[in-house]
């Protein structure tokens, strides 16, 4: 039973991680801007997850002994590279052709080959279909192959299907956050109670808070820097405070305290966050902390943050 629950938790975390892939973030962001729909991330993830679940079930039923041919890895990689390169060149050309001061229009398959009405549509089927198309890559299929075969060996094809749904749930949670639905923050916060190996789940939830840029995340992140929490979560919360970009007296004071934290990774993360936030007291606090820093590696990292702080002060 523990093996089944452990595998389900791992697949959920893989779904969260997969939801942070750059191509997913760009696609969801483009849909959200063009359609103004706050459901884009959910529909995209559901379409993506349907393909993953179908692959998982198919593999569990008929291909438990099958291994992907070697050529498939290279083919999938070159397809992804080619598509992203083509989109990058198209966007670069659009920037170069745009007149000064004129917004650059979105460039891509939807804007080029579909009608304006369809390109701006927010119909769930359109967004889900694009999400399904994005799932046809070696990276996604390989995820499905691994967890479906493992799940099938533990509890049969039905459990493999359940794992596909769990993977989709992880993706959808981050997809909702990316499209910035009002409920996204509450959904992420509710998942903080779940335990995972090395607090990987909480680390990804903190990444979701950063995407949302919601001020309500600040007290939560501050709480998770406290010593009663695991060091992995404390380090992730410290980094997230810097990425969130919300500076106030409590955040600055707490990050300065963390410069002398017993865990060296937290100290290093605190220095980077202070520099990123351009905190007024950052330079002096980092210099003072470096004088008593016992680890040479942390000292080097901290020293690198001082020029960033000084530059921010000069431009400030």
């Amino acid at each position: 039973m523990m093996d089944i629950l452990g595998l389900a938790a791992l697949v959920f975390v893989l779904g969260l991680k997969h939801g942070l892939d750059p191509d997913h973030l760009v696609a969801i962001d483009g849909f959200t801007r063009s359609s103004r729909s706050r459901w884009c991330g959910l529909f995209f993830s559901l379409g993506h997850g349907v393909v993953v679940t179908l692959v998982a079930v198919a593999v569990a039923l008929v291909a438990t002994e099958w291994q992907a041919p070697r050529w498939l890895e290279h083919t999938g990689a070159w397809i992804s590279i080619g598509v992203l390169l083509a989109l990058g060149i198209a966007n670069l050309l659009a920037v170069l052709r745009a007149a000064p001061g004129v917004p650059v229009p979105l460039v891509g398959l939807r804007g080029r080959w579909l009608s304006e009405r369809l390109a701006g549509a927010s119909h769930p089927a359109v967004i889900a279909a694009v999400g399904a198309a994005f799932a046809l890559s070696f990276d996604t299929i390989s995820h499905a192959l691994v967890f479906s075969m493992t799940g099938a060996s533990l509890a049969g094809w039905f459990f493999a299907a359940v794992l596909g749904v769990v993977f989709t749930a992880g993706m959808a949670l981050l997809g909702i956050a990316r499209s910035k639905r009002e409920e996204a923050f509450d959904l992420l916060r509710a998942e903080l109670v779940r335990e995972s190996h090395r607090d990987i789940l909480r680390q990804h939830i903190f990444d979701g808070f950063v995407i949302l840029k919601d001020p309500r995340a600040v007290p939560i992140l501050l709480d998770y820097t406290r010593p009663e929490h695991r060091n992995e979560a404390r380090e992730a919360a410290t980094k997230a405070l810097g990425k969130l970009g919300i500076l106030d007296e409590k955040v600055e004071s707490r990050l300065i305290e963390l410069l002398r934290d017993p865990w060296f990774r937290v100290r290093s993360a605190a220095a980077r966050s202070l520099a990123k936030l351009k905190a007024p007291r950052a330079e002096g606090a980092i210099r003072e902390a470096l004088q008593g820093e016992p680890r040479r590696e942390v000292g080097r990292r901290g020293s690198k943050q001082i020029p960033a702080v000084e530059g921010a002060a000069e431009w400030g």
Side-chain angles (χ1 to χ4, degrees):
M1 185 65 179
M2 291 301 297
D3 290 340
I4 292 176
L5 293 177
L7 180 59
L10 175 61
V11 170
F12 183 78
V13 172
L14 286 175
L16 284 173
K17 181 179 181 297
H18 196 68
L20 289 170
D21 284 356
D23 56 343
H24 286 226
L25 300 181
V26 171
I28 293 171
D29 185 65
F31 269 118
T32 302
R33 287 192 292 161
S34 62
S35 66
R36 305 299 180 188
S37 172
R38 292 183 176 271
W39 291 99
C40 295
L42 176 62
F43 294 140
F44 182 93
S45 299
L46 290 177
H48 201 85
V50 166
V51 174
V52 172
T53 303
L54 290 176
V55 170
V57 173
V59 169
L61 285 174
V62 301
T64 54
E65 302 297 328
W66 179 79
Q67 292 184 351
R70 185 172 301 177
W71 59 265
L72 184 60
E73 179 178 2
H74 301 290
T75 302
W78 280 110
I79 289 175
S80 298
I81 291 171
V83 171
L84 294 176
L85 183 61
L87 289 175
I89 293 174
N91 280 286
L92 179 60
L93 292 175
V95 171
L96 296 176
R97 291 171 181 171
V102 177
V104 180
L106 294 175
V107 176
L109 297 177
R110 289 201 315 149
R112 190 173 181 86
W113 282 286
L114 301 180
S115 66
E116 291 184 3
R117 180 179 180 183
L118 185 59
S122 59
H123 196 283
V126 176
I127 302 173
V130 175
F134 269 66
L136 300 176
S137 66
F138 184 80
D139 177 58
T140 304
I141 299 301
S142 62
H143 275 100
L145 286 172
V146 170
F147 72 68
S148 63
M149 294 176 69
T150 307
S153 66
L154 286 176
W157 70 268
F158 183 76
F159 181 56
V162 172
L163 290 178
V165 175
V166 171
F167 184 87
T168 304
M171 270 194 310
L173 190 61
L174 267 297
I176 291 172
R178 186 61 189 176
S179 53
K180 298 186 178 181
R181 278 195 51 77
E182 294 178 0
E183 298 91 343
F185 179 84
D186 293 330
L187 290 172
L188 289 172
R189 181 171 55 184
E191 294 296 323
L192 284 171
V193 298
R194 296 180 181 270
E195 298 295 334
S196 60
H197 178 63
R198 299 179 66 86
D199 264 340
I200 295 177
L201 179 57
R202 291 190 178 102
Q203 293 179 44
H204 286 300
I205 291 174
F206 295 158
D207 288 336
F209 287 158
V210 171
I211 292 172
L212 288 174
K213 300 293 184 184
D214 194 318
R216 291 178 294 173
V218 172
I220 297 175
L221 295 173
L222 287 173
D223 177 71
Y224 271 93
T225 66
R226 296 166 62 88
E228 58 263 31
H229 296 288
R230 295 182 60 175
N231 284 331
E232 292 84 1
R234 297 179 63 238
E235 178 190 0
T238 305
K239 290 179 178 178
L241 285 170
K243 296 176 182 178
L244 195 63
I246 301 175
L247 178 65
D248 59 24
E249 179 63 29
K250 290 183 178 179
V251 171
E252 183 180 28
S253 297
R254 180 56 181 157
L255 289 174
I256 290 175
E257 292 175 2
L258 292 174
L259 290 174
R260 301 188 180 279
D261 191 85
W263 181 239
F264 74 97
R265 292 188 182 275
V266 171
R267 298 197 299 271
S268 180
R272 290 197 298 271
S273 291
L274 283 168
K276 189 180 292 289
L277 290 170
K278 303 176 183 178
R281 294 185 287 158
E283 181 182 351
I286 293 174
R287 289 187 184 277
E288 183 179 350
L290 287 176
Q291 294 178 1
E293 175 55 50
R295 293 182 67 98
R296 185 176 302 175
E297 178 185 357
V298 178
R300 286 198 303 268
R301 291 179 180 177
S303 298
K304 291 179 180 179
Q305 308 308 319
I306 293 176
V309 177
E310 291 174 340
E314 292 174 3
W315 288 102

